[in-house]
Amino acid sequence: MDESSVGSWRDSYRGMSSDNVKGLVLALSSSFFIGASFIVKKKGLKKAGSSGVRAGVGGYSYLYEPLWWVGMIAMIVGEIANFAAYAFAPAILVTPLGALSIIISAALAHIILRERLHIFGMLGCVLCVVGSTTIVLHAPQERVIESVAEVWDLATEPAFLLYAALVLVAVFVLVVQFIPEYGQTHVMVYIGVCSLVGSLSVMSVKALGIALKLTFEGMNQLIYPQTWIFTMIVLVCVITQMNYLNKALDTFNTAVVSPIYYVMFTSLTILASVIMFKDWDRQNPTQIVTEICGFVTILSGTFLLHKTKDAVDGSSASIQMRMSKHSDENAYDPEGMPLRRQDNMRPS
């Protein structure tokens, strides 16, 4: 390898900035706390259910279980860390790392809850790690911003205004026309609303995070009206997002909702960040293609993890279905139609 090629490689990769490192540490911490919180809360739910009415049948005894509250606190800490991560690192680095919480949750469930992790589930974990590492090593440097007014200028440029307008129109059409007719039968309707609104919420969260970071550094951003406008946008978007996500989880199989939502939400968030913060303008084509490959690798690992979970859980479900078939020839497994509501198959 000659000196010119070495110099070219050094120019293309200058290492991670201090802000990117802070964002990376916060994102990894967020994944750990959120992933662990699911396991701790489930342990608390099991413990509370053994001495009271289970949550699955309408009980609230888990509210008196300290272990469940430890899990809730861990989740809150994780969400705060995730919020802070956006203030330091670009969304193209922070958002895909959310897949690591799935790995941590699966690994801890295998160790603590004795929930078997299939060999292909382990392969899914490896793919997520490889994809995350690829994105981390090639993520763009965080844009230097000295005022929330600069973020507002980026948000009001024609390209992002066009994207935001298209998102709002799409959400309006989905809510008014498609949800009343297809909301209970097609998983993409609810998830579409969550993902579209979620991409705007992340941009607003990032803007608010930057404003708070600058304020803590001594440059008060609370005096700017843009800070409060972004705060209102965050509240509206998050409430809307959580409302329709809860509808999706209540209507469809979680194993179907989770990976589809992750793919759509992450893809649209990266697209919104590329348009608003122009992340790819500071990178060469090789880095961009590498990041896309890393993202696709994470998506493959995420789907493999959830598909393997279905296969493991489905073995016992299929046995129960075969047993019930002897007593009722019209019985069938609702999991066979994962994209449709499981409890709407009632006799006419």
Side-chain angles (χ1 to χ4, degrees), residues 99-244:
L100 296 180
S101 63
I102 302 174
I103 297 177
I104 293 169
S105 180
L108 291 177
H110 180 76
I111 296 171
I112 298 175
L113 301 178
R114 305 299 180 186
E115 295 181 358
R116 188 163 65 91
L117 185 61
H118 195 274
I119 183 66
F120 290 108
M122 296 179 185
L123 177 60
C125 293
V126 172
L127 288 174
C128 289
V129 171
V130 171
S132 299
T133 303
T134 302
I135 290 179
V136 167
L137 292 177
H138 296 86
Q141 305 293 346
E142 173 69 336
R143 188 188 188 100
V144 178
I145 295 177
E146 298 179 353
S147 169
V148 71
E150 291 184 33
V151 184
W152 181 260
D153 291 338
L154 293 172
T156 53
E157 288 188 357
F160 188 75
L161 286 178
L162 176 61
Y163 172 80
L166 291 175
V167 166
L168 293 177
V169 170
V171 169
F172 179 80
V173 172
L174 286 173
V175 170
V176 173
Q177 185 166 352
F178 285 90
I179 284 182
E181 187 172 356
Y182 302 107
Q184 298 297 307
T185 57
H186 292 74
V187 67
M188 297 298 292
V189 180
Y190 284 137
I191 294 181
V193 175
C194 296
S195 302
L196 288 166
V197 175
S199 67
L200 296 181
S201 72
V202 169
M203 296 304 99
S204 302
V205 163
K206 184 171 178 62
L208 183 58
I210 291 172
L212 293 177
K213 182 186 73 170
L214 293 174
T215 300
F216 292 141
E217 290 176 352
M219 295 175 282
N220 187 11
Q221 303 296 304
L222 302 181
I223 59 175
Y224 293 98
Q226 292 92 331
T227 300
W228 301 105
I229 294 175
F230 281 126
T231 302
M232 292 302 299
I233 295 174
V234 168
L235 292 175
V236 172
C237 287
V238 168
I239 291 172
T240 304
Q241 187 180 353
M242 290 299 100
N243 177 46
Y244 286 100

